[in-house]
Amino acid sequence: MKIAIICFDDFTDLDVFLPWDLLNRVRLVGGIADWEVKLLGTASSHVSMAGLRIPMHGMVEEANTLDAVLFASGRGVQPLYKDPAYLGRFQLSPDRQLIGSMCSGALLLGALGYLTGKRATTYPTAAGQLTAFGVEVVNESFVNIGNISTAAGCLAGQDLSAWVIDSLMGSKMTQRVLETVQPVGQGLEIDL
């Protein structure tokens, strides 16, 4: 299984790194050798809103062939969702791929036509822009309709990641992964 997290300059750090960490735990805790998570962009590296430069594993077009594609969020979404050349690089298929977004990344899904006539969520500051795509924006942290999901609020990255893991590997693996990040006393236990 191959999963992409789509990055760009001015992405929100936590909206990339939380899913990156959780999704990679499938390979680490589950010993799943053919599980691969990639950061894809339009350059060899991208800089987060907090100023961290990270290398990419490939270009965004690679997402068209992968099992799951998650779009990050951040200020960098604003020019991209209005850019036909950027949007034209994506030929995704909701019939065979899981497609999701974090916060304002939903604007990219909206611009690509994947949310028209559907319920979705996004960061509150992007809600008005998302409705312009014929989307019913709801005040929920996670919305799933078929193979399309949207999450809003950085910590909802856990829900988005859990959806991908559950859809591709089942609920037992999802539980195993999430148990590794639970706060001590709220799931994770110390053997005394």
Side-chain angles (χ1 to χ4, degrees):
M1 298 291 165
K2 294 186 178 183
I3 297 97
I5 299 173
I6 304 300
C7 300
F8 36 79
D9 286 332
D10 282 329
F11 67 85
T12 300
D13 297 62
L14 193 54
D15 290 352
V16 168
F17 298 125
L18 180 59
W20 167 259
D21 183 277
L22 291 173
L23 292 168
N24 272 297
R25 287 174 187 253
V26 169
R27 185 176 38 80
L28 299 173
V29 303
I32 309 298
D34 66 344
W35 182 270
E36 184 178 9
V37 184
K38 294 182 167 200
L39 301 176
L40 302 179
T42 58
S44 61
S45 66
H46 285 290
V47 179
S48 75
M49 285 176 38
L52 182 63
R53 180 173 297 279
I54 60 168
M56 297 293 106
H57 299 110
M59 301 303 278
V60 294
E61 289 85 355
E62 189 178 340
N64 298 327
T65 63
L66 303 185
D67 299 294
V69 181
L70 303 179
F71 287 85
S73 70
R75 288 188 304 248
V77 166
Q78 290 299 319
L80 295 177
Y81 92 92
K82 301 171 193 168
D83 182 350
Y86 177 78
L87 297 172
R89 298 173 84 163
F90 294 98
Q91 304 299 320
L92 304 176
S93 173
D95 293 335
R96 63 173 181 77
Q97 293 175 292
L98 300 176
I99 303 170
S101 64
M102 279 301 306
C103 295
S104 63
L107 293 173
L108 294 167
L109 295 189
L112 289 166
Y114 300 127
L115 299 178
T116 304
K118 294 183 171 77
R119 294 172 69 250
T121 191
T122 190
Y123 200 71
T125 57
Q129 293 167 300
L130 189 57
T131 60
F133 293 108
V135 179
E136 179 191 347
V137 179
V138 296
N139 193 30
E140 297 174 24
S141 62
F142 181 77
V143 176
N144 168 250
I145 299 174
N147 281 351
I148 307 283
S149 288
T150 53
C154 293
L155 297 181
Q158 176 177 316
D159 297 329
L160 188 65
S161 301
W163 167 69
V164 170
I165 298 166
D166 195 68
S167 298
L168 298 177
M169 298 299 295
S171 60
K172 268 192 153 163
M173 180 61 73
T174 306
Q175 182 179 349
R176 285 182 67 193
V177 167
L178 294 180
E179 283 174 351
T180 68
V181 296
Q182 294 298 313
V184 171
Q186 296 179 23
L188 189 61
E189 299 296 330
I190 297 174
D191 291 328
L192 299 175

